[in-house]
Structure formats: C-alpha cells, structure tokens
C-alpha cells in the first residue's frame, strides 16, 4: 500500500468529517486496487487524493498561524523569532510522529530480506531502505525508471515509501514558500481584496500551474520517471494549498 504513514492533521479546528470520509475512501480504493486491480481500475488515484488533502491541511495550519501571530502586517515584517520557533516545532512534531513507525518498518523489512540470503535483493533493499529513511525514495525509483505497477527487478518491499518521500519534501519547503507568499501578498494591489482572496495566493497558483505543466510534459516524454519525481507531483499538494487559501463556500 502506497500510503505509508500519517498525514498532516494539525489544523486545530473543528473535526472535518468530510475530509475523514475522503481519506477513508482513498485508502479503501488503494488497498482494493492492490489486491484486485481489475475490480477498481482507477483505485490508485487514492494516492493523488491524499496528496491534495495533505496540501490543504498543512496550508491551513500554516496560514492560520501566520494570521494569529501577525507575522506580517501592512507595516512589514514582524515576529520573525516566533515564526522560526513555530516552524521548528512543526518539523519536530512530524519527526516524532513519523520516525518511530518508519524506522521499525524499514528495519524489519531489512532484517527479513537479509535472512532470505538473496544477495541481489539484499543490495536493492538496503539501498531503498536508506532512501526511504532520508525521504528520497521517489528519486531513487525514478533514477532506476521503475514501473511501479509492473514487475521489475528494481522493486522492493519498501518502494511504497515513495509517496511519503514526496510529502516530506513538500513539507520541508512549503512553509517557507508560504512565508514568501505572505510578503508578496502585502504589496499586491487591492484587486484581490475585492475578490476576498489574499494576494499571497499568487505564489501557490504559479507553482501549481508550473508543476502541472511539467508533469503533463514529463508523462509524455518520461512516464516512468514522471510517476515519481517531486516536480511532476508537486501540483497535487499545492492545489490543496490553493483550495485552503480560497474563501470558504
């Protein structure tokens, strides 16, 4: 199953039953697809749904903090130390949530493979366990042009960590991009105020469009790599961020 670990849920707001329901449907679709591919042909799109939800929840958390702490206002930059501390705590919480379960899973798989005595499988698994542990598994699989849905010699029991690797890379850079977006939002003309949308949304929109275009092009030219590389998948997470920045319906 591709969905390996928990997703960012620290929204500090009313529990969203609708989001929990979408998550449940996404997980069920992915599991059924792996067990009976012909029963739910498009079940793999549950991963894409999870990416969008993760981007939405994380962006909601970040922009809510920015609004509460008034990190930026019309007079300029404020409370930099508070923001740095917030980001530090944000990353620390993710490490505490992910590290124990991830390390136990990766360690157990590695031990089981070494017991098998198959040298080639041991070598492949050890490499991908390391890639998974540092959240670059997606790039390792892209470099090997692994067909995720096919039977290849490069596949291992931990290749499912590719989706988590993309999310962690996104979580590393997205808060910083949102801070930059907040600065840009200050100098944007009042046109966006009339639309009840912050000018800061420009940055996520540009990133989403650029990533989607790159992903579309890469899918045609290098489909195996495009399935895994972060730039081709980034638009799904950032699209969730764009939704989070729009006015509630």
């Amino acid at each position: 199953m591709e969905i390996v670990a928990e997703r960012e849920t620290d929204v500090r707001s009313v529990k969203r039953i609708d989001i929990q329901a979408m998550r449940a449907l996404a997980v069920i679709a992915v599991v059924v697809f792996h067990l009976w591919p012909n029963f739910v042909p498009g079940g793999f799109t549950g991963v894409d749904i999870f990416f969008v939800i993760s981007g939405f929840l994380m962006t909601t958390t970040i922009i809510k903090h920015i609004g509460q702490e008034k990190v930026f206002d019309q007079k300029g930059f404020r409370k930099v130390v508070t923001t740095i501390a917030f980001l530090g705590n944000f990353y620390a919480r993710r490490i505490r949530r992910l590290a124990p379960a991830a390390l136990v899973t990766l360690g157990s798989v590695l031990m089981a493979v070494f017991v098998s005595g198959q040298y080639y499988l041991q070598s492949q698994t050890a490499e991908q366990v390391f890639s998974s542990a540092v959240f670059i598994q997606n790039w390792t699989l892209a470099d090997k042009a692994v067909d995720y849905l096919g039977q290849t010699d490069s596949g291992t029991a931990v290749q499912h960590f590719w989706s988590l690797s993309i999310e962690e890379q996104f979580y590393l850079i997205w808060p910083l991009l949102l801070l930059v977006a907040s600065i840009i939002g200050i100098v944007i003309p009042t046109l966006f105020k009339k639309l009840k949308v912050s000018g800061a949304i420009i940055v996520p929109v540009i990133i989403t469009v650029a990533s989607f275009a790159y992903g579309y092009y890469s899918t045609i030219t290098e489909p195996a790599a495009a399935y895994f590389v972060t730039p081709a998948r980034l638009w799904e997470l950032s699209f969730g961020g764009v939704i989070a920045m729009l006015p509630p319906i």
Side-chain angles (χ1 to χ4, degrees):
M1 177 176 168
E2 293 175 328
I3 302 168
V4 182
E6 57 78 37
R7 311 305 191 198
E8 181 60 39
T9 58
D10 186 17
V11 185
R12 295 187 179 88
S13 60
V14 178
K15 187 173 183 179
R16 294 288 300 270
I17 303 301
D18 53 343
I19 290 180
Q20 298 302 325
M22 283 191 290
R23 280 178 159 177
L25 290 174
V27 171
I28 293 172
V30 172
V31 172
V32 173
F33 175 76
H34 277 73
L35 295 176
W36 304 286
N38 295 328
F39 186 71
V40 185
F44 56 86
T45 56
V47 178
D48 307 288
I49 295 172
F50 256 83
F51 280 158
V52 176
I53 293 175
S54 295
F56 172 83
L57 293 175
M58 180 186 181
T59 304
T60 301
T61 300
I62 300 298
I63 61 179
K64 185 175 182 179
H65 168 78
I66 293 176
Q68 288 179 340
E69 298 295 338
K70 297 182 179 179
V71 179
F72 303 100
D73 61 11
Q74 297 300 324
K75 296 181 180 180
F77 190 77
R78 295 179 59 184
K79 298 188 178 180
V80 179
V81 176
T82 303
T83 302
I84 294 176
F86 167 76
L87 292 179
N89 291 332
F90 175 83
Y91 294 131
R93 288 198 305 271
R94 290 206 58 79
I95 292 175
R96 288 195 298 267
R97 292 173 182 175
L98 289 172
L103 291 177
V104 169
T105 301
L106 294 173
S108 300
V109 170
L110 191 60
M111 290 178 60
V113 170
F114 268 84
V115 169
S116 71
Q118 301 180 49
Y119 175 75
Y120 180 77
L121 183 59
Q122 292 171 350
S123 176
Q124 288 288 340
T125 302
E127 178 186 9
Q128 293 192 25
V129 163
F130 173 78
S131 298
S132 299
V134 295
F135 302 118
I136 59 171
Q137 172 72 314
N138 60 312
W139 290 103
T140 298
L141 296 177
D143 181 63
K144 297 179 180 298
V146 173
D147 181 359
Y148 183 80
L149 300 180
Q151 300 295 325
T152 67
D153 294 334
S154 299
T156 71
V158 298
Q159 70 179 29
H160 311 291
F161 271 78
W162 74 269
S163 59
L164 181 62
S165 296
I166 290 179
E167 286 201 13
E168 294 311 303
Q169 293 164 31
F170 175 79
Y171 290 159
L172 182 63
I173 64 172
W174 193 245
L176 303 178
L177 291 175
L178 288 180
L179 292 178
V180 173
S182 297
I183 298 176
I184 295 176
I186 297 172
V187 298
I188 295 297
T190 56
L191 169 64
F192 288 92
K193 292 182 179 179
K194 296 179 180 179
L195 300 175
K196 297 182 179 181
V197 177
S198 170
I201 200 174
I202 288 181
V203 173
V205 167
I206 292 176
I207 292 174
T208 301
V209 172
S211 173
F212 179 83
Y214 175 80
Y216 182 82
Y217 174 77
S218 299
T219 301
I220 298 174
T221 58
E222 298 179 278
Y227 188 86
F228 296 110
V229 295
T230 306
R233 290 280 188 171
L234 181 61
W235 71 269
E236 298 174 338
L237 290 141
S238 61
F239 181 66
V242 171
I243 295 174
M245 300 180 74
L246 293 174
I249 299 178

